[in-house]
Amino acid sequence: MVKEIIGNKKAFIFDFDGTLFHLFTTFSFDKEIAMLKKEYSSLGYTMPDTWNPFDAFRVVDEQENSSENRLKALIRADEILTNKELEAVECGEPINGAVELLRYLDSKGYKLAIASNNSPLVVSYFMGKYLPDIKLPVLGRVTGHPELLKPNTWMLEELMANMGSKPEEVVFFGDHPRDKACADKAGVGFVGITPADYKKERMLKILDSSDICNDLVELLDIIKK
């Protein structure tokens, strides 16, 4: 159960998109995908017919090419994706209860951090707009190093070191199975956040319903009890 997973833990790490913020609910990637396909083809990479911009990083790792082309492809993919994320964050909105939850936890002295596969610039925009008075460590996508994206535990390990917390003292909150896999590998607790039906259906394949919160209002209510 969520209450038992949290227990007396006072160090919380949150995923960003889908957990704290609705980033791409109304955005299409068609233009960016067409752009990446054209540029990747010129660098010798073959793109699948059906994919999303994050697949650009996977394609580079799966297909052999020169190290120079690899770096060019990774940098360009990150640039295109970051620009789209920064466009989207201006139109997106926080998950229900996100701002209130972070304010409450900060006021009670919890150690807080954010680990995101998005650009850290996007998370900084969110914090600056909605919670400018709260400062917390953030780790996001590192240009040229897709191997560090979750479910790699690098972000969680770095943030735990920053917070001075041991794995058994930490809970990670996320909306995707890769977040659960990351938490398991890092040895930290995990609570699923599922603000959409399809997210809940996906999480119920790997979690019990008692280990899931539908939104952050529900999570805040549990923490306060």
Side-chain angles (χ1 to χ4, degrees):
M1 295 179 66
V2 172
K3 188 70 173 178
E4 295 175 354
I5 295 170
I6 294 174
N8 294 320
K9 298 179 179 69
K10 295 288 185 178
F12 291 173
I13 302 176
F14 293 86
D15 169 54
F16 180 65
D17 183 23
T19 301
L20 292 174
F21 196 83
H22 291 294
L23 189 58
F24 290 120
T25 52
T26 60
F27 273 73
S28 168
F29 279 104
D30 292 346
K31 178 182 176 182
E32 287 72 24
I33 288 173
M35 191 184 306
L36 278 171
K37 280 189 174 182
K38 181 179 179 180
E39 296 194 25
Y40 267 42
S41 177
S42 71
L43 293 171
Y45 292 98
T46 302
M47 307 304 296
D49 292 332
T50 303
W51 64 293
N52 67 63
F54 276 97
D55 290 333
F57 303 122
R58 175 180 55 79
V59 166
V60 171
D61 281 339
E62 290 179 351
Q63 299 179 28
E64 294 204 13
N65 211 314
S66 71
S67 58
E68 181 180 352
N69 280 357
R70 179 182 187 278
L71 184 57
K72 286 181 179 178
L74 290 174
I75 290 174
R76 187 60 178 135
D78 188 79
E79 180 183 21
I80 291 173
L81 183 54
T82 296
N83 287 339
K84 190 67 172 182
E85 290 170 337
L86 289 171
E87 179 185 352
V89 75
E90 294 184 4
C91 305
E93 58 184 21
I95 299 293
N96 191 26
V99 173
E100 296 81 2
L101 172 68
L102 293 179
R103 283 200 181 282
Y104 176 82
L105 295 174
D106 181 68
S107 72
K108 296 298 182 180
Y110 284 74
K111 298 177 182 179
L112 306 174
I114 296 176
S116 174
N117 281 356
N118 301 115
S119 166
L121 296 175
V122 178
V123 183
S124 295
Y125 179 95
F126 160 77
M127 293 299 298
K129 181 176 181 178
Y130 294 99
L131 297 158
D133 54 320
I134 295 178
K135 307 300 179 185
L136 50 80
V138 172
L139 281 179
R141 190 173 61 248
V142 179
T143 302
H145 291 281
E147 72 278 4
L148 298 180
L149 294 171
K150 295 174 294 178
N152 187 303
T153 60
W154 174 76
M155 292 186 204
L156 296 191
E157 290 169 355
E158 289 292 311
L159 289 171
M160 284 189 285
N162 182 291
M163 294 188 293
S165 299
K166 300 176 182 178
E168 60 269 23
E169 300 170 335
V170 176
V171 182
F172 184 37
F173 300 86
D175 72 315
H176 196 281
R178 66 171 165 260
D179 295 321
K180 173 66 163 63
C182 184
D184 288 346
K185 288 193 286 185
V188 306
F190 182 79
V191 172
I193 306 298
T194 58
D197 288 342
Y198 79 92
K199 291 177 182 284
K200 189 166 188 176
E201 290 176 9
R202 185 172 63 190
M203 275 298 191
L204 285 174
K205 295 178 181 179
I206 58 172
L207 288 175
D208 187 84
S209 60
S210 63
D211 298 337
I212 292 172
C213 287
N214 292 320
D215 60 25
L216 300 176
V217 172
E218 181 182 344
L219 176 59
L220 180 56
D221 287 342
I222 291 171
I223 292 170
K224 284 183 174 181
K225 290 179 181 178

